[in-house]
Amino acid sequence: MSGGRTMRGSGRPTMNDVAAAAGVSLKTVSRVINAEPNVDPALADRVREAIDRLGYHRNALAASLRSGTNDTIGFLAADLSNSFSMGIAAAVSAVASQRGLHVLMASSEEDPAVERRLALDLCQRRVGGLILVPAATDHGYLAPEVAHGTPVVFLDRPGDGIPADTVLLDNRGGARAAVAELLGGHERIGLLLDATEIYTMRERLAGAEEAFAAAGRALDPSLLITGIHTPQDAAAATARILDGPRPPTALFCGNNRATVGALEELTRRDADVAVTGFDDFELSWMLPRPLRVVAYDVAALGALAATTLLDRIAGDAAAPPALHLVPTTLVDRGGRQRTPTG
């Protein structure tokens, strides 16, 4: 390489390496790779010569854009069967499609061993990068892939063991705001959550506990039920606490499956219990009873993860990993609502 410049230890050159070798700006390299017009021919020749000399075109996804061929990124969800994951997948696909890329998708089914097998399989298929909703708690198994130039973006839950960008919802803040609102009008509030081994549930429970503490009140342990995986679990849990000696007048549901199950049981009983649920869901605005929802833009979450990954692939490898937090908002659903809002 010119000037005796030493490559990074990964062995895979980046756009920064090409820019340094050609003596041009990173923007010029990007314009040449993406075949943009009005690039000085002499500069373009220097960039292409540096690309060929460094071998950048053989392993880097951005170089495939220059050649007009399709390449792939990987998206590994924790559960592709739910509407949240499908919304994320659609947004990731849309961003990738805009760049002329394909997406390989798979689901770990919340199994760390399956996650490891599928993630490594995607890397062996030479994906340009990987968006991963973690099921495992240690991702050191991906360290060799990251070291060889495959960027990873953690989505919805943080990972550990490798340097990676992370895109999260403000789970704690959303739950804190929701429960604080309920505490303004209710003495006894039930909480229905999935397993607290799941990061999002831990954060939502922490937010709820912060709301209770800020109000100078204590959460009744008998009204906290965790491990709710399905609407049927939530309906049974709702029945159990409503049949208790001091039933709640309000419920905070940790995800839309819990919300749906709670509403089924409340409707069956015609019970006057306020409900606020984390996650919106399809046709929630058509419910005959009022409902509050901690809502967020699923498409924005997926698009941000995809854009972050593609920016890394395109040459922004030197910047330190970043944490991106997507905000939530409380919105009304059901009752007198006639069209979706928020």
Side-chain angles (χ1 to χ4, degrees):
M1 283 173 286
S2 63
R5 187 176 183 277
T6 302
M7 287 288 296
R8 297 180 305 117
S10 71
R12 291 188 181 181
T14 68
M15 283 178 63
N16 288 313
D17 297 322
V18 173
V24 299
S25 69
L26 185 62
K27 183 176 181 179
T28 297
V29 174
S30 177
R31 292 179 65 194
V32 173
I33 286 174
N34 289 287
E36 295 182 14
N38 303 320
V39 179
D40 181 271
L43 292 181
D45 287 344
R46 281 162 53 186
V47 169
R48 284 190 285 267
E49 189 276 332
I51 286 173
D52 292 339
R53 178 156 44 87
L54 297 179
Y56 177 74
H57 64 287
R58 286 195 291 271
N59 292 320
L61 179 60
S64 71
L65 296 175
R66 175 176 63 89
S67 66
T69 61
N70 288 323
D71 214 314
T72 57
I73 60 173
F75 172 50
L76 180 53
D79 179 7
L80 270 176
S81 68
N82 64 49
S83 59
F84 172 82
S85 293
M86 291 308 297
I88 293 292
V92 169
S93 294
V95 172
S97 179
Q98 290 170 2
R99 309 277 187 102
L101 308 178
H102 294 304
V103 182
L104 289 178
M105 298 185 188
S107 176
S108 71
E109 304 302 322
E110 298 285 5
D111 186 326
V114 173
E115 176 202 289
R116 178 188 178 110
R117 175 173 58 81
L118 291 175
L120 291 175
D121 180 69
L122 287 168
C123 290
Q124 288 169 5
R125 292 172 185 271
R126 308 294 290 172
V127 294
L130 180 64
I131 298 172
L132 173 61
V133 180
T137 56
D138 182 4
H139 297 87
Y141 67 87
L142 284 172
E145 303 299 332
V146 172
H148 284 92
T150 303
V152 175
V153 173
F154 291 120
L155 175 60
D156 191 43
R157 310 167 187 174
D160 193 24
I162 57 172
D165 296 300
T166 304
V167 177
L168 304 176
L169 284 176
D170 185 11
N171 293 284
R172 186 177 296 221
R176 183 172 57 243
V179 174
E181 184 177 83
L182 290 174
L183 286 166
H186 298 272
E187 289 297 321
R188 292 180 60 75
I189 301 170
L191 272 65
L192 307 180
L193 302 171
D194 205 330
T196 52
E197 290 80 10
I198 300 173
Y199 166 81
T200 52
M201 291 300 112
R202 290 199 305 274
E203 284 293 289
R204 293 171 193 181
L205 176 57
E209 291 172 335
E210 288 174 1
F212 273 93
R217 292 162 61 179
L219 170 62
D220 184 344
S222 70
L223 297 181
L224 170 61
I225 302 181
T226 62
I228 294 174
H229 302 302
T230 66
Q232 293 72 30
D233 292 340
T238 300
R240 188 159 67 251
I241 59 177
L242 290 181
D243 290 337
R246 298 182 62 207
T249 60
L251 294 174
F252 172 68
C253 301
N255 59 29
N256 52 20
R257 293 187 297 275
T259 302
V260 168
L263 289 173
E264 287 178 353
E265 181 62 21
L266 294 174
T267 300
R268 188 183 71 80
R269 294 172 177 242
D270 194 23
D272 184 18
V273 176
V275 177
T276 298
F278 210 109
D279 303 329
D280 205 348
F281 54 95
E282 189 175 7
L283 301 183
S284 62
W285 58 277
M286 292 184 65
L287 292 170
R289 57 174 292 149
L291 170 69
R292 290 283 273 172
V293 168
V294 181
Y296 47 87
D297 190 337
V298 176
L301 193 68
L304 178 57
T307 301
T308 299
L309 181 68
L310 295 180
D311 286 348
R312 288 292 184 188
I313 292 171
D316 191 19
L323 170 63
H324 304 277
L325 203 61
V326 175
T328 63
T329 184
L330 278 165
V331 299
D332 289 315
R333 296 287 186 255
R336 290 186 297 274
Q337 300 292 318
R338 290 294 179 265
T339 56
T341 61

